[in-house]
Amino acid sequence: MYRLAGSSFVGARKSVNQDAYCALCARTPHGDAALVAVCDGVGGLSSGELASSAAVRELSRWFEHDLAAIVAGGPAGPAPRDESWAVDAQASLAALIGDLNARMRRYGADLNVRLGTTLTALVAHRGRFLVAHVGDCRAYRSGEKGAEQLTRDQTLIQEEVDAGRIGAREALTHPKGSVILQAVGACDEVAPVFTHGACRGGEIFLVCSDGLYRRQGEGVIGSALARAGADVSEEGLLDALGDLTAAALDAGENDNITGVLLYAEGPRDAGVPAGAFPAPTGAWPAAFSSALLADDEPTLALGGGE
């Protein structure tokens, strides 16, 4: 079973929130499944918030329909070492992201607007996780030594750091720190990077926009994940996100700030009182819940791909 929480803040100086997120879970005959994703509209383009909200909506539909079909195709019962669903889900997500990129490009050309979004999504099911990554949102997981970054920023500055031309500390405040190398809807072709591995009981995963992590190191993020691990109720997870948001603002962050936490139940929960983790009811897709960042989020209708 999974426990999810998400939050988004427009920022200290922004008037539009170009971040969008989803936190979805379902109980199936083949085990529980969850999706957490953050999409950040590309700054400087005219319709970044439309692109991010459209991407989140398509990911939500993928979770409800495509992943449901993938899971149903596997054997019933627990199989924590079975990676077949992740292999199929990776291929399916790659096709979705490629199709979404093409549809956004056509939409922009038809209406003469420029739009694009980064995308980082994490799927968990049957003891495995799968991350799809485009741009500079990030995914982390808790570990004994703090926060472990699961994604690599697809940015100009990250390439400079990798080449040894600038240091990691200098990169945090570099004026070109937000120059990304690819985004959904902004490139002729997009090539998502995938990461997968074991999802162990008791672990906490964080998916966030650059506004949350940019001005604070992994030590701060690791401490927040450790505090969340001490109280994995919905309130505890939201408090951890609140701490991270406050720390980013205190450090001078002005961008939109968004984060989603996923907690994977494990042996450490043996002493948690009954009812602390209310289970979803019904079968997939009836047991489907979502959280979008705003009540009045703009929508973007893209032709095809339903």
Side-chain angles (χ1 to χ4, degrees):
M1 185 180 296
Y2 304 100
R3 190 70 172 174
L4 314 174
S7 70
S8 187
F9 179 59
V10 67
R13 297 185 180 179
K14 297 282 186 177
S15 59
V16 175
N17 195 340
Q18 292 192 322
D19 290 355
Y21 76 85
C22 62
L24 317 172
C25 62
R27 171 159 289 180
T28 83
H30 303 273
D32 296 344
L35 165 71
V36 292
V38 174
C39 298
D40 181 359
V42 177
L45 301 187
S46 58
S47 301
E49 70 276 13
L50 301 185
S52 61
S53 63
V56 162
R57 188 172 64 251
E58 294 303 305
L59 285 169
S60 301
R61 290 174 177 170
W62 175 85
F63 178 79
E64 181 178 358
H65 299 291
D66 296 67
L67 185 61
I70 290 169
V71 169
R81 296 184 181 275
D82 182 7
E83 300 182 24
S84 61
W85 76 264
V87 173
D88 293 342
Q90 175 174 325
S92 179
L93 269 176
L96 170 73
I97 293 169
D99 179 65
L100 182 59
N101 182 71
R103 289 156 60 197
M104 283 190 183
R105 297 283 286 174
R106 291 196 298 269
Y107 176 91
D110 290 345
L111 297 184
N112 195 29
V113 297
R114 301 176 64 223
L115 70 163
T117 182
T118 64
L119 180 155
T120 300
L122 185 149
V123 187
H125 175 59
R126 290 174 64 175
R128 306 293 303 177
F129 73 83
L130 170 69
V131 177
H133 176 65
V134 177
D136 64 350
C137 289
R138 286 184 181 177
Y140 295 89
R141 71 172 169 183
S142 59
E144 294 181 358
K145 297 182 180 180
E148 176 190 357
Q149 186 175 332
L150 298 173
T151 53
R152 177 184 174 275
D153 299 342
Q154 297 172 352
T155 62
L156 178 64
I157 291 304
Q158 183 62 55
E159 288 203 339
E160 294 293 293
V161 172
D162 292 345
R165 288 186 283 269
I166 66 172
R169 184 176 295 275
E170 180 185 354
L172 293 174
T173 56
H174 197 283
K176 294 185 178 180
S178 297
V179 178
I180 58 176
L181 300 180
Q182 66 170 350
V184 180
C187 306
D188 290 337
E189 294 184 359
V190 64
V193 174
F194 292 91
T195 304
H196 63 88
C199 178
R200 295 175 288 269
E203 284 188 318
I204 295 179
F205 294 84
L206 167 69
V207 178
C208 61
S209 63
D210 60 337
L212 187 143
Y213 69 77
R214 180 166 41 218
R215 295 182 182 270
Q216 48 194 341
E218 290 188 358
V220 176
I221 294 174
S223 296
L225 295 184
R227 289 195 300 274
D231 179 5
V232 294
S233 66
E234 182 178 357
E235 293 77 10
L237 296 180
L238 287 172
D239 284 346
L241 289 172
D243 290 344
L244 285 169
T245 300
L249 292 171
D250 289 343
E253 182 59 59
N254 295 316
D255 200 358
N256 310 142
I257 302 172
T258 301
V260 188
L261 288 172
L262 182 153
Y263 171 74
E265 188 182 74
R268 72 170 64 177
D269 304 312
V272 176
F277 296 89
T281 58
W284 197 324
F288 180 83
S289 62
S290 65
L292 298 182
L293 68 94
D295 293 334
D296 299 321
E297 183 68 28
T299 59
L300 171 63
L302 300 172
E306 291 299 322

